[in-house]
Amino acid sequence: MTETPQDAQPGPMALPAIHDHLMDLIQREAPPPRDIVDIGAGQGAISARLLEAGYRVSACDLFPEMFRAKGIECRQVDATGALPFDDASLDVAIAVEVVEHLESHRPLFSEAARVLRPGGAFIFTTPNINSLKSRWRFLTTGYFYSFGPLDPAVDDPVRQHIAPFTVDRYRFLLGRCGLTLSNVETDKYQTSSKSLSWLSPFIRWSARRAWGDDPGVRLQNGKASLLGRTLMVVARKPEKP
């Protein structure tokens, strides 16, 4: 791992457009001031922006020594994925470009549900394998967009993308962990996917014919899913009855 000088400013470990759209999404879904945690915070670029925007920011990472954002504590996440925060202590949890690196999503999703207050939001971003570009790539190569061949002898959780999940699968797993998927957006529409958008009506018709007008089917083939580069998923912890 490349070391970063201690006085260096935190740099983004995701595409700049992702951070820009994510900031807008967070402020629409949960305006400041709120208690928010940046899970898998990296150097802390988005943490620093959230603090400047008026949020009360916490952070955690497998490698907290990488964190550079001033005025924010970055805690260690252990190998089990347990988050170092109390039950129902946070309003928002975010995970930027994290879930595609995980062998299992249940620990993260369950922990996000645990630390959120009722009505709280869990927001994460991940490469979109639902896009028309990705579907074409899978048809022609056997691999989804942003996912390539894996070597079982290599274990590099920071750099490897190992979990290509669809929107419908995220909806299912979030629900099993006590969260309800409420919104799906994207940072940008890909030119390559837009060039294939003439296929969209046929895909939606075929999906409805095979599976009916199910909410998961609609999400799986919505505009963000078919044309987007990066998925931005919002899930909510239900309010108390």
Side-chain angles (χ1 to χ4, degrees), residues 30-108:
R34 303 288 176 102
D35 295 309
I36 188 168
V37 60
D38 184 3
I39 302 169
Q43 294 185 18
I46 197 73
S47 292
R49 290 183 65 170
L50 289 165
L51 183 67
E52 185 178 358
Y55 290 91
R56 298 181 291 270
V57 184
S58 301
C60 59
D61 199 276
L62 282 170
F63 306 103
E65 63 275 10
M66 294 174 55
F67 195 76
R68 299 287 173 263
K70 298 183 184 302
I72 303 169
E73 179 185 8
C74 186
R75 304 185 193 179
Q76 173 84 51
V77 177
D78 65 29
T80 68
L83 298 178
F85 304 98
D86 294 335
D87 294 358
S89 60
L90 298 161
D91 300 304
V92 186
I94 66 169
V96 183
E97 305 298 280
V98 170
V99 298
E100 63 272 14
H101 301 275
L102 303 178
E103 291 185 23
S104 173
H105 294 73
R106 279 183 178 270
L108 173 61

